[in-house]
Amino acid sequence: MRHVVAALAAILLALTSTAKEQPVVSVSSEPTGLTVESRKSGKKMIPGIDIYFNGLVAIRRYDGSEATKHIDPGAVDRLTESLARTGFYKVTEDSFEAELTRADKPGAITRTFITDCPTWSLRTRVGNITRSTKFYALWEMAEHYPNNRHLKTLKDAILKTYAAVGEKVY
């Protein structure tokens, strides 16, 4: 009987343990034409922020520095709820393009093309629901299209995430 209990305990532990805890909020800015090297490890890294359910925050900056912070776990819950309300995950390059097309005058198409900019990613995970999106040249496109609600939604969600941990985007 003792072996059965020990085996069940081992199985339950294996089922409830994960090799590595995943962040509940993750923002990254993957550069193009630039490699960011970690000052700690010397390896390539992607700048961004990972926020875990217990308030642990891992920060990777463009200058290669890395830091960890702790925020109140209640603040993490408020952030994930706030981000879900923004609908950031509905913003894609296709939805942006569709909004621009609707705004074009008949017979006229005007677009700005930008190269060598980072691809911004934002992902949240609450329970078994993961929401995410990626957008190339977000800040630069928002500058050229200041009235585009899709860009504003995504940019505001990323700024909200950085502000929640006391960091600046660049």
Side-chain angles (χ1 to χ4, degrees):
M1 180 65 174
R2 204 171 50 195
H3 297 312
V4 172
V5 172
L8 284 174
I11 290 170
L12 286 174
L13 181 62
L15 290 174
T16 59
S17 297
T18 58
K20 182 179 178 188
E21 184 66 32
Q22 294 183 353
V24 294
V25 178
S26 184
V27 175
S28 65
S29 173
E30 186 169 2
T32 56
L34 170 72
T35 300
V36 179
E37 188 175 289
S38 167
R39 290 183 187 174
K40 287 182 183 178
S41 68
K43 295 180 180 177
K44 178 184 174 186
M45 69 175 198
I46 298 173
I49 294 175
D50 294 324
I51 305 172
Y52 297 85
F53 78 97
N54 63 357
L56 178 67
V57 180
I59 301 162
R60 299 168 310 282
R61 298 183 186 105
Y62 265 90
D63 68 0
S65 64
E66 297 173 77
T68 56
K69 294 181 178 182
H70 280 86
I71 62 173
D72 178 56
V76 176
D77 292 338
R78 288 187 297 278
L79 176 62
T80 56
E81 290 167 7
S82 177
L83 290 173
R85 283 191 303 272
T86 69
F88 77 87
Y89 49 90
K90 297 176 188 172
V91 178
T92 64
E93 290 177 2
D94 289 339
S95 70
F96 163 71
E97 185 66 32
E99 186 175 339
L100 283 184
T101 300
R102 282 191 301 275
D104 283 336
K105 292 182 171 103
I109 297 176
T110 303
R111 296 292 184 270
T112 298
F113 293 93
I114 301 172
T115 60
D116 292 335
C117 295
T119 298
W120 284 88
S121 300
L122 176 58
R123 181 176 56 83
T124 61
R125 184 182 56 80
V126 178
N128 62 354
I129 299 171
T130 299
R131 295 179 169 130
S132 64
T133 194
K134 287 184 175 189
F135 202 94
Y136 176 75
L138 174 62
W139 258 252
E140 295 77 10
M141 295 299 271
E143 184 178 316
H144 288 282
Y145 301 103
N147 297 325
N148 186 282
R149 65 183 172 87
H150 289 266
L151 296 178
K152 183 172 177 13
T153 296
L154 185 52
K155 186 177 170 186
D156 288 350
I158 291 171
L159 288 170
K160 187 179 290 193
T161 303
Y162 272 79
V165 300
E167 288 288 312
K168 293 185 179 183
V169 172
Y170 287 109

